[in-house]
Amino acid sequence: MPPFEYAPAPESRAIVTIEKSYGLFVDGAFTRPKALFPTINPADESVLAEVSQAGPKDVDKAVAAARRAYEGVWGRMSGAERGKYLFRIARILQERAREFAVLETLDNGKPIKETRDVDVPIAAAHFFYHAGWADKLEYAGPSPSGAAPPRPHGVVGQIIPWNFPLLMLAWKIAPALATGNTVVLKPAETTPLSALLFAEVCQQADLPAGVVNIVTGDGTTGQALVEHPDVDKIAFTGSTEVGKAIARSIAGTPKKATLELGGKAANIVFDDAPLDQAIEGIVNGIFFNQGQVCCAGSRLLVQESIHDQVVAKLKRRLGTLRVGDPMDKNSDLGAINSRAQLDRITSLVDAGVAEGAERWSPECSLPAKGFWFPPTVLTGVSQTHRVATEEIFGPVLSVLTFRTPQEAVAKANNTAYGLSAGVWTEKGSRILWMADQLRAGVVWANTFNRFDPTSPFGGYKESGYGREGGRHGLEAYVTTAPASLSTSATGAVR
Amino acid sequence: MTVSTAARTAQDLAAAAKDVLGVSRLTNHALTTWLHGLPGVDQVGCEARAASLGTRSIKTSAKAWAIDTAIGMIDLTTLEGSDTVGKVRSLCAKALVPDPLDPTTPRPAAVCVYGDMVATAKEALADSGIHVAAVATAFPSGRASVPVKLLDTRDAVKAGADEIDMVIDRGAFLSGDYLTVFNQIAEVKQACGDAHLKVIMETGELVTYDNVRRASYLSMLAGGDFIKTSTGKVSPAATLPVTLVMLEAVRDWRELTGVQVGVKPAGGIRTTKDAIKYLVMVNEIAGEDWLSPEWFRFGASSLLNDLLLQRQKLTTGAYSGPDYVTID
């Protein structure tokens, strides 16, 4: 036994009350639960609650409620008033932070230290940030100088993934509401609970009925929302495959869309990098949230001259990662979100080994129940291997080498995706050159996986289109019409 | 606890240094090339890593272990112009019986005093096994000639000091004269004989983490048995990120040379919570081999009483209060 054995430090789950079953949140109230399906804790496979599968009729009611709210209240409200509601939501999120953190960890499987220190605080920050925009859109927003004020689209359908359930909800709802749109949001099938708790927050904040509607369900619910004729815009975060289906489905309609899809980011380490921090950046890049991050640094591109040194340091560091009970405050890695995802990770890693990659994991004992995958490093990976091209979406790092900055750029860009990239070097001029050359929406320099509401986020190529966050992110939620078409500043004109 | 440090001559140390650097002559140019070739430290990343280790939750049995371990790693310190024989004796009595209410309480590793108080401390501590550490080499500024620094060291050793805490010449370091810094450390090491040498880098005056890393390597190269952050007379004294850089340095140094060097943060560590953050960092950065007083120390005075209060709380289940621990 090691001399300094950290005793269990479990966060209490007593702070959160989980109902036995949940209805949908439509027009300011919860419907009666029906067509129930379970949502489970991926860390031990216990059922947490049952939630309702929304059918096309339910989606129709939700969209109708959103339309009424848009035309009756929200679209006519002044920006300053909308901002007050958003500030109120942000404050409630902070006040109930522990409750959200615990619920998110139970439903998603990610460690409590991440929900506590990342997911929930940044979700609140998004509401604070966009609350500030609500009354400034007319003169500081995305419209060109002298043009009419930006106008909301109307009813926005939003579909979010299971990897950051509350945070993605915040990324979607905060800008939509700030710009005067109303929302029908569908959380992921495996992680609906934090969105349903957020519905309570909307009630607590006295948000007018119908401004936010939450419909739970599987892919068919999402499809019904996408295809609904009275939805003006779709905002989607999830897989490239579904993103493409959405784009096909709305082609030829007036619907607007932003798609934030997959990634296969290169994390590029030069021989003059601050090595100890680069190791942390590699670890954070691929093991944060068990690697279930669209912008994860899943491809380590390391300069060949320091390959052995970096891999040795990395392995030593991975030996100190603590994998286990997500509710334990000292866990660094938690559970994989679902059996389906675990199977996908397993089969891709097997394929990598079959193609010649060498697989390594630190010694760690995984819990018997639940969905678990050890932190894994694949060395000897080539550009042609599936593990170098396909998104694994798990705690699996593929290690490749390069010789020159030009080769690093070529290999980094040689992917169907283009969401993010990392550059590690002490040379400032090289950082700027690399940032210019890399075809990725976000380039992190000497850091990785930093998120801030003021900074736009989004992809190139098959990583999607549109930006979220910052001033750029507002553009996706408004029309900047020429002055001649302008009617009033209220924006309630369709 | 034993400190097994062989006496080494300055000549030996220079020869060993040439070996590590792979040069035939130890010049300032050779040292500069070597030190400036070390990987840089990114400030933001280093501080983020230290902060993240600070969020570890150490409870129950782990906390009890950490408190006792931390007490055993303290260099109980008084370094004041106003120190008297009475004050030093009193501090030594505290070291011998940290908590009169609980005889199972471990003792600190050493008592740290100015050179002229060594004999007093030595007498008070007798054969208890608690070491006497003396600051030397014109502590805290280090602004004296080399003969004075060496005499200061020999004087303390002669009076019975088991450990010498020297200061480096920060002026020489900051002007890029690494050879002078090296030579002074090596000569002081020789003057120490069998006494253990801790090299105070005064990181608050070196300012950048790159400098901390370079000074750490230079101190280890020159024969320091411990690298120590601060005199306690300059602000900032010990910080978590500075200690992080030093722990990485000793870890990598052992990998490079096979020689294990200790780390001592000093100054500003006052609470149990702080001490535990340092122990977590030792555990996860340098590794468990450093989790003993032989390889990690706290330079502190008020820390001991906070650890004792927390220890009482764990034993009795209730907080007592400052009047239930003795002031030295």
Side-chain angles (χ1 to χ4, degrees):
Chain A
M1 199 175 109
F4 194 5
E5 177 81 21
Y6 303 163
E11 177 68 63
S12 166
R13 57 191 285 178
I15 191 160
V16 63
T17 309
I18 305 177
E19 307 290 340
K20 220 173 151 302
S21 59
Y22 289 88
L24 312 171
F25 184 67
V26 175
D27 209 9
F30 280 96
T31 63
R32 202 169 49 77
K34 63 167 180 115
L36 295 172
F37 67 96
T39 180
I40 65 168
N41 179 350
D44 62 11
E45 299 175 61
S46 63
V47 173
L48 293 168
E50 291 192 304
V51 297
S52 301
Q53 164 75 35
K57 280 186 186 161
D58 301 307
V59 170
D60 194 43
K61 281 180 192 158
V63 171
R67 175 64 61 197
R68 280 195 303 278
Y70 174 69
E71 292 186 343
V73 193
W74 199 251
R76 299 172 180 278
M77 194 181 278
S78 72
E81 285 301 308
R82 287 200 308 272
K84 284 185 196 170
Y85 284 102
L86 289 170
F87 275 122
R88 207 179 288 165
I89 291 170
R91 281 195 298 271
I92 296 172
L93 280 177
Q94 285 187 322
E95 283 161 16
R96 301 178 71 171
R98 243 180 84 205
E99 202 177 340
F100 272 101
V102 168
L103 185 65
E104 193 82 316
T105 286
L106 289 173
D107 205 18
N108 171 281
K110 67 172 73 189
I112 186 79
K113 80 168 191 190
E114 286 182 11
T115 53
R116 178 195 66 196
D117 297 344
V118 180
D119 295 65
V120 180
I122 302 185
H126 268 267
F127 279 98
F128 276 115
Y129 174 76
H130 286 100
W133 264 121
D135 62 353
K136 300 170 187 69
L137 293 166
E138 282 187 35
Y139 58 88
S143 296
S145 176
R151 292 182 303 163
H153 293 308
V155 175
V156 182
Q158 304 183 319
I159 299 170
I160 56 171
W162 46 261
N163 58 344
F164 295 94
L166 180 71
L167 185 56
M168 290 302 107
L169 174 149
W171 278 31
K172 295 279 181 286
I173 291 184
L177 297 196
T179 46
N181 298 278
T182 57
V183 164
V184 179
L185 176 129
K186 187 195 92 72
E189 191 182 353
T190 58
T191 55
L193 295 184
S194 55
L196 293 165
L197 186 60
F198 181 82
E200 269 183 40
V201 170
C202 293
Q203 289 178 321
Q204 193 182 344
D206 282 328
L207 191 71
V211 173
V212 168
N213 304 274
I214 290 168
V215 292
T216 50
D218 60 13
T220 60
T221 308
Q223 195 181 351
L225 184 57
V226 168
E227 290 171 359
H228 197 287
D230 204 29
V231 168
D232 299 304
K233 175 197 155 59
I234 298 293
F236 172 76
T237 296
S239 72
T240 294
E241 192 190 340
V242 175
K244 285 178 178 173
I246 290 174
R248 273 193 296 271
S249 155
I250 63 172
T253 75
K255 285 177 195 168
K256 306 265 191 288
T258 42
L259 304 173
E260 202 269 88
L261 310 175
K264 190 74 187 177
N267 204 358
I268 305 163
V269 180
F270 285 96
D271 62 3
D272 67 347
L275 278 189
D276 288 301
Q277 288 71 47
I279 295 295
E280 290 311 309
I282 296 165
V283 170
N284 179 33
I286 188 61
F287 300 116
F288 172 63
N289 200 20
Q290 295 72 245
Q292 302 168 136
V293 185
C294 47
C295 54
S298 51
R299 282 187 298 154
L300 173 62
L301 283 177
V302 58
Q303 195 156 2
E304 200 164 331
S305 55
I306 55 164
H307 170 270
D308 294 354
Q309 192 188 358
V310 166
V311 169
K313 275 178 174 281
L314 181 63
K315 286 180 175 177
R316 179 177 58 203
R317 172 69 176 89
L318 297 190
T320 68
L321 280 181
R322 304 172 66 88
V323 188
D325 181 7
M327 290 291 277
D328 192 303
K329 292 175 210 162
N330 291 325
S331 287
D332 298 317
L333 266 80
I336 302 300
N337 181 251
S338 66
R339 182 170 300 284
Q341 186 56 27
L342 179 60
D343 290 345
R344 179 178 161 75
I345 296 167
T346 309
S347 75
L348 267 169
V349 169
D350 289 346
V353 173
E355 283 173 324
E358 192 178 326
R359 175 185 184 164
W360 182 90
S361 289
E363 267 181 54
C364 56
S365 55
L366 301 177
K369 285 188 104 177
F371 314 131
W372 298 89
F373 199 88
T376 299
V377 177
L378 298 174
T379 48
V381 175
S382 300
Q383 285 289 105
T384 57
H385 292 169
R386 280 180 70 197
V387 289
T389 56
E390 290 183 34
E391 184 176 37
I392 299 174
F393 223 65
V396 182
L397 179 70
S398 300
V399 183
L400 298 95
T401 60
F402 69 88
R403 295 164 297 177
T404 63
Q406 286 72 12
E407 188 180 5
V409 166
K411 283 187 167 174
N413 286 340
N414 181 212
T415 166
Y417 298 107
L419 193 51
S420 67
V423 179
W424 295 84
T425 172
E426 289 269 277
K427 201 191 263 290
S429 57
R430 183 178 290 152
I431 290 172
L432 297 175
W433 182 80
M434 293 288 291
D436 186 52
Q437 300 291 312
L438 290 166
R439 291 201 299 277
V442 181
V443 178
W444 283 294
N446 292 333
T447 189
F448 210 92
N449 274 346
R450 293 272 151 200
F451 306 100
D452 192 282
T454 62
S455 174
F457 184 93
Y460 278 49
K461 300 190 275 185
E462 290 200 18
S463 290
Y465 45 79
R467 293 291 178 268
E468 294 183 290
R471 195 168 171 275
H472 302 73
L474 298 169
E475 290 170 12
Y477 286 95
V478 292
T479 307
T480 49
S484 58
L485 291 180
S486 159
T487 49
S488 76
T490 63
V493 178
R494 286 178 67 202
Chain B
M1 186 198 67
T2 56
V3 177
S4 55
T5 316
R8 297 181 78 182
T9 67
Q11 241 174 348
D12 285 348
L13 290 162
K18 283 190 277 188
D19 213 39
V20 171
L21 270 60
V23 294
S24 56
R25 234 158 37 91
L26 193 64
T27 61
N28 195 54
H29 177 75
L31 284 170
T32 305
T33 306
W34 181 65
L35 292 173
H36 290 222
L38 295 168
V41 184
D42 183 77
Q43 184 188 338
V44 174
C46 172
E47 289 171 359
R49 172 76 167 132
S52 114
L53 285 170
T55 68
R56 289 284 191 224
S57 181
I58 304 302
K59 303 286 182 207
T60 59
S61 58
K63 188 173 183 183
W65 183 90
I67 288 173
D68 279 10
T69 303
I71 293 173
M73 288 172 165
I74 290 179
D75 282 2
L76 198 58
T77 301
T78 183
L79 295 169
E80 299 299 334
S82 57
D83 284 346
T84 59
V85 168
K87 162 76 184 175
V88 171
R89 280 190 187 142
S90 167
L91 191 73
C92 292
K94 173 82 174 179
L96 290 165
V97 187
D99 186 352
L101 300 174
D102 184 351
T104 67
T105 309
R107 287 168 166 174
V111 167
C112 182
V113 292
Y114 269 110
D116 62 334
M117 290 292 170
V118 169
T120 305
K122 198 71 194 164
E123 190 192 342
L125 295 170
D127 56 359
S128 63
I130 299 174
H131 284 187
V132 174
V135 294
T137 71
F139 179 94
S141 72
R143 298 254 67 88
S145 68
V146 173
V148 170
K149 290 182 180 182
L150 295 176
L151 198 62
D152 194 11
T153 307
R154 287 195 199 104
D155 197 43
V157 173
K158 200 171 154 200
D162 305 287
E163 305 174 0
I164 296 294
D165 290 23
M166 72 168 289
V167 292
I168 66 165
D169 185 339
R170 283 90 76 187
F173 183 91
L174 290 170
S175 66
D177 187 359
Y178 301 129
L179 189 59
T180 293
V181 180
F182 176 92
N183 286 336
Q184 286 191 11
I185 299 171
E187 286 185 62
V188 172
K189 172 66 183 167
Q190 179 175 332
C192 281
D194 289 329
H196 212 53
L197 176 63
K198 306 196 198 97
V199 181
I200 303 172
M201 304 185 292
E202 197 66 297
T203 53
E205 290 183 349
L206 302 184
V207 179
T208 70
Y209 298 123
D210 286 332
N211 276 345
V212 172
R213 174 167 283 175
R214 290 169 186 165
S216 298
Y217 273 77
L218 189 57
S219 304
M220 295 188 289
L221 187 74
D225 301 303
F226 257 75
I227 49 176
K228 176 175 168 183
T229 59
S230 325
T231 59
K233 305 293 183 193
V234 166
S235 183
T239 67
L240 285 165
V242 155
T243 310
L244 174 77
V245 172
M246 291 163 62
L247 287 165
E248 288 167 349
V250 297
R251 175 196 70 193
D252 295 343
W253 182 255
R254 187 173 73 170
E255 223 159 69
L256 182 71
T257 64
V259 177
Q260 187 166 348
V261 171
V263 175
K264 177 178 171 184
I269 306 164
R270 294 189 183 86
T271 65
T272 302
K273 209 172 169 180
D274 284 344
I276 290 177
K277 287 181 185 178
Y278 279 92
L279 288 182
V280 164
M281 211 154 75
V282 174
N283 190 36
E284 298 199 29
I285 301 293
E288 59 188 51
D289 290 353
W290 269 265
L291 281 171
S292 83
E294 204 181 338
W295 303 111
F296 194 79
R297 295 280 181 87
F298 291 106
S301 38
S302 59
L303 171 63
L304 177 59
N305 270 350
D306 193 64
L307 286 162
L308 294 175
L309 279 172
Q310 293 293 333
R311 196 173 186 277
Q312 289 175 358
K313 158 74 169 55
L314 280 185
T315 323
T316 65
Y319 280 107
S320 45
D323 287 342
Y324 293 83
V325 287
T326 56
I327 53 170
D328 39 269

